[in-house]
């Protein structure tokens, strides 16, 4: 029985397994083999924190048994990687932190359960910035992940391991998570497709919380169709997550196939100002020309509160993180400081040893922003700014814009170490992505060109719940750029 090419579309892989032409077990063995080869030696990507041959072949065997029993599954035998802040039963869930280095999840996240039900095989857990805090996957207790297009550069973050694993051909698809751009930004840096759904579209049961008013699970694929299939299968209401909406799941696979071009594409001037690198600007202009060639009206629009997005995000996200991360106290999860003489010493010793510098910085920022006397001045103001940002988008969409097009990032992937000494410069790499999280909107990044070896990503942002229109536009743009 011959294997499938590792870059076969997900639907084709599943069809081959459903038809009995290849087994899920063979696919899982091939994927783990690629991971083992890709993750050894000095050139390794370090995309994975853990992977497990026995576990992967065992769960692939279960898929083969279901197929033998007559089942036909949309992701039959598709090997997937899962960001290591999403729980998968029996596997480590470290969140890239010393705090959880030895933690194993006792249950599956809803998104993982849904992928498994669809026939996918979880082959490993991927590297990330600790608890999702970062833009480069350099803030991990398990080392830096490298960009497969140039290993001296970062893959982006915080879902850099998942993005590098897909871009490096180690797995065909992966899950990530987003709080301020952690799927789209690494997708752009690694030259793949990444989608962040509307807030409330996908269950977060089993996703370790960073900033709960912003967090969503997102997907990575090599193509729009692959990412759309993944997203469709994990979407939908979940009784285990009250923030999921009781709204019908859109037909994203059909939307990708339809390749319907939007009537009006909005181009917000604020996303094309100072700080945007020339190579990215040029690729965006070419992408807009491609959309125009497909008959879209390209309309300049303004989102005037955009410049307050990064400051608002860096109040809201740390504030919520400081509350969410209070649970890592040495009592309930993971690490516990030895030889502590009092409860206070347990907390202090555990948190000092368990958290890395960026996580500590955010907890301090967030605690300060929520402290008595400053709460309204900081958190309250940031929330009011958030409302203004949301209204900017609502106005533009109400004026007849179907989707917005912007660069995903101001530059291509930066060098490892380049921004580690300057947190503010690091935070600015999210300048075009945090807005969609603040406004609860669906957004995606797709490859629109290259600058030398380095990929360039373009971003589409749609009204809330309009993933289908966004995916269709993405597929149309992808097809036009491939011509
Ligand atoms: N880079 C942003 C941060 O550091 C976003 C991270 C994310 O989306 N998880 O918070």
């Amino acid at each position: 029985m011959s294997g499938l090419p590792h870059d076969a579309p997900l639907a084709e892989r599943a069809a081959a397994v459903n038809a009995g032409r290849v087994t899920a077990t063979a696919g899982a063995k091939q994927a783990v083999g690629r991971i083992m080869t890709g993750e050894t030696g000095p050139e390794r990507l370090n995309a994975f924190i853990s992977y497990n041959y026995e576990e992967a072949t065992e769960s692939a065997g279960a898929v083969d048994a279901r197929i033998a029993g007559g089942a036909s599954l949309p992701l039959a035998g598709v090997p997937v990687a899962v960001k290591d802040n999403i729980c998968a039963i029996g596997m480590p869930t470290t969140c890239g932190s010393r705090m959880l280095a030895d933690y194993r999840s006792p249950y599956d996240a809803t998104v993982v359960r849904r992928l498994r039900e669809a026939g996918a095989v979880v082959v490993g857990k991927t590297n990330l910035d600790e608890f999702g805090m970062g833009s480069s996957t350099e803030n991990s207790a398990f080392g830096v992940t490298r960009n497969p297009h140039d290993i001296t550069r970062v893959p982006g973050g915080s879902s850099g391991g998942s993005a590098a694993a897909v871009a490096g051909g180690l797995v065909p698809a992966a899950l990530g998570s987003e709080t301020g751009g952690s799927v789209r930004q690494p997708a752009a840096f690694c030259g793949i497709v990444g989608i962040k759904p509307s807030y409330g579209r996908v269950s977060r049961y089993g996703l370790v919380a960073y900033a709960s008013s912003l967090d969503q699970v997102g997907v990575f694929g090599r193509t729009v169709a692959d990412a759309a299939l993944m997203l469709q299968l994990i979407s939908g209401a979940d009784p285990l997550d009250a923030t999921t909406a009781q709204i019908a799941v859109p037909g994203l696979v059909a939307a990708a196939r339809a390749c319907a071009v939007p009537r009006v594409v909005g181009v917000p001037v604020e996303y094309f100002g100072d700080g945007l690198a020339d190579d990215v600007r040029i690729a965006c202009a070419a992408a807009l020309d491609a959309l125009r060639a497909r008959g879209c009206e390209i309309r300049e629009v303004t989102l005037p509160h955009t410049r307050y997005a990064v400051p608002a995000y860096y109040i809201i996200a740390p504030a919520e993180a400081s509350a969410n991360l209070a649970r890592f106290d040495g009592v309930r999860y993971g690490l516990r400081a030895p030889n502590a003489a009092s409860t206070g010493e347990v907390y202090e010793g555990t948190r000092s040893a368990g958290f890395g510098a960026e996580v500590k910085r955010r907890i301090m920022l967030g605690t300060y922003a929520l402290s008595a006397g400053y709460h309204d001045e900081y958190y309250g103001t940031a929330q009011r700014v958030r409302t203004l940002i949301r209204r900017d988008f609502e106005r533009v969409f109400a004026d007849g814009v179907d989707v917005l097009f912007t660069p995903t990032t101001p530059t291509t992937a930066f060098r490892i170490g380049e921004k580690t000494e300057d947190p503010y410069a690091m935070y600015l790499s999210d300048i075009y992505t945090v807005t969609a999280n603040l406004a609860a909107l669906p957004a995606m990044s797709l490859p629109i060109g290259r600058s030398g070896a380095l990929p360039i990503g373009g971003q589409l942002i749609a009204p809330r719940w309009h993933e289908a229109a966004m995916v269709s536009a993405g597929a149309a743009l992808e097809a036009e750029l491939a011509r």
Side-chain angles (χ1 to χ4, degrees), residues 83 85 129 131-136 139 157-159 177-185 210 215 313-314 317 358 362 426-427 429-430 433-434 437:
K83 186 179 183 180
N85 61 350
D129 288 297
F131 289 101
M133 298 179 191
S135 308
S136 63
N139 302 333
S158 65
S159 315
S177 72
E178 272 248 4
T179 305
S182 277
V183 167
R184 288 164 287 154
Q185 188 255 27
Y210 163 10
D215 295 342
Y313 175 84
Y314 278 99
E358 182 63 22
R362 305 256 181 130
M426 187 73 88
Y427 297 172
S429 70
D430 303 325
T433 51
V434 295
N437 303 75

Side-chain angles (χ1 to χ4, degrees), residues 30 62 78 102 146 154 171-172 187 190 206 225 241 277 291 321 329 338 371 394 407 435:
Q30 188 190 28
V78 171
D102 298 317
R146 302 164 203 248
V154 302
V171 284
C190 290
D241 177 359
L291 286 167
D329 55 9
S371 57
E394 282 168 2
T435 47

Side-chain angles (χ1 to χ4, degrees), residues 195-202 216-219 231 235 440-443 467:
I195 311 181
K196 176 202 98 73
S198 304
Y199 185 83
R201 176 67 85 191
V202 174
Q216 275 292 294
V217 173
V219 296
L231 181 57
S235 290
L441 304 176
E467 279 89 348

